[in-house]
Amino acid sequence: MHSFTVADWQPFFTAVVSAAAALTGLLFVAVSINLEHILKGPSMLPSRAAETLASLLFVVISSALALVPQNVRLLGAEILVIVVPLLVITLRIQLRFRRQHPDSPLLWSASRITISAAATIPGTLAGLSFLAHWGGGFYWLVPASLLGIAGAGYGAWVLLVEIVR
């Protein structure tokens, strides 16, 4: 069954690790180029940079763990140890920002929550699926990885280009 066979997914996760690592480098460049704008801009920008980095690190680490020859139940536990705190912390930060800044555009909060959830919810389902050895396995880690990269790409764009407009 392809859902739980690590060897079948090696080429995909090798490519994902490379892409996410490259995007992580772009994020560091974007933040270092625009650090002054980020720190002096709206108060949500430093958090957005941290959330984007956390999303990329989740993709890199979960994809790298998928390449390690190991029992998929252990992989599920490892993914959950990473993704559950990430989901809780990012949602908490975003909701706190919303309460502290009720006049900020709703789109800012909605986009940040959507981008975080797009990677962490399928990541959580992947971890649970691996633990139970039921329900999709690696097929849940695919949208977690791809949506995490897409969301981080958007976050990097905001931090590199949109911030200076």
Side-chain angles (χ1 to χ4, degrees), residues 93-146:
I93 289 169
Q94 293 163 4
L95 293 173
R96 183 175 351 127
F97 174 81
R98 189 75 199 144
R99 280 192 309 274
Q100 291 173 348
H101 302 91
D103 296 335
S104 68
L106 182 60
L107 183 59
W108 288 0
S109 297
S111 69
R112 288 174 60 201
I113 289 171
T114 301
I115 288 169
S116 293
T120 54
I121 290 174
T124 302
L125 293 172
L128 294 171
S129 178
F130 288 133
L131 274 177
H133 207 271
W134 178 86
F138 284 107
Y139 288 103
W140 281 114
L141 206 48
V142 170
S145 299
L146 297 179

Side-chain angles (χ1 to χ4, degrees), residues 58 65 74-87 127 131:
F58 168 66
L65 289 171
L74 179 58
L75 175 60
E78 293 167 343
I79 289 172
L80 288 173
V81 164
I82 298 166
V83 76
V84 170
L86 176 63
L87 180 61
L131 274 177

Side-chain angles (χ1 to χ4, degrees), residues 9 12-17 19-20 23 55-66 79 83 115 117-124 126 130 137-153:
W9 293 91
F12 175 78
F13 287 110
T14 300
V16 168
V17 167
L23 194 51
S55 180
L56 284 171
L57 290 176
F58 168 66
V59 172
V60 169
I61 293 168
S62 63
S63 297
L65 289 171
I79 289 172
V83 76
I115 288 169
T120 54
I121 290 174
T124 302
F130 288 133
F138 284 107
Y139 288 103
W140 281 114
L141 206 48
V142 170
S145 299
L146 297 179
L147 292 172
I149 288 173

